[in-house]
Amino acid sequence: MTYRLGGHGTSDDPTKYRGVKETSYWAKHHPISRFNKYLTKKGLWDDEQDKQFQEETKKMVLDCIETAEEKLKADPYVMFTDVYDKMTPRLEKQADYLTKHLKDYREEYPMLDKFHLVK
């Protein structure tokens, strides 16, 4: 395990809970960066290899994303049924709200056709 330099996702702003001093420290001392420097110093890695690795890895990830986007998506209602054997009244209310919302605003969710909806 290592320190996560970026946010949790695109909506996360780590500056809300991390100081500049902490971020600066880890940018310099991050284990992956340190290992990269070590390999470079030993002559086992160079900028060209790193650039090629970054390009190949990015392509591989984008190919995987493209493949995943073609698949039928999981049923969003699983978030209500996955934890408890029987849904609580509060979860039932939330699931009903989601059903009504998706029905009322169907045109706002063009990707919904790719979902496997059980409810």
Side-chain angles (χ1 to χ4, degrees):
M1 183 174 353
T2 188
Y3 188 83
R4 178 180 39 78
L5 289 172
H8 290 283
T10 56
S11 63
D12 182 32
D13 180 6
T15 62
K16 302 265 189 229
Y17 50 86
R18 289 183 183 163
V20 174
K21 189 175 178 181
E22 177 185 352
T23 306
S24 297
Y25 173 84
W26 280 106
K28 292 176 188 162
H29 296 91
H30 194 274
I32 295 172
S33 300
R34 288 175 47 219
F35 190 57
N36 183 306
K37 288 176 188 171
Y38 171 80
L39 292 175
T40 302
K41 215 181 249 189
K42 293 286 186 183
L44 301 170
W45 196 249
D46 61 36
D47 289 342
E48 187 55 40
Q49 286 173 297
D50 198 61
K51 181 181 174 187
Q52 183 178 351
F53 173 76
Q54 296 291 336
E55 289 171 0
E56 289 172 3
T57 304
K58 182 177 181 177
K59 182 184 179 334
M60 183 173 56
V61 169
L62 292 174
D63 289 346
C64 288
I65 290 170
E66 186 178 323
T67 299
E69 287 176 341
E70 293 170 1
K71 304 273 185 202
L72 193 61
K73 308 298 182 235
D75 180 358
Y77 289 97
V78 169
M79 70 179 153
F80 301 112
T81 61
D82 190 47
V83 176
Y84 300 106
D85 184 43
K86 183 178 179 339
M87 278 200 299
T88 65
R90 184 175 181 167
L91 286 177
E92 287 176 2
K93 185 176 177 180
Q94 291 173 356
D96 291 343
Y97 178 84
L98 177 61
T99 300
K100 182 179 181 334
H101 177 82
L102 293 177
K103 186 177 179 182
D104 291 348
Y105 297 97
R106 176 67 183 89
E107 68 281 356
E108 300 296 325
Y109 298 95
M111 287 291 293
L112 209 53
D113 294 334
K114 290 197 174 248
F115 283 84
H116 171 69
L117 297 174
V118 174
K119 188 150 177 93

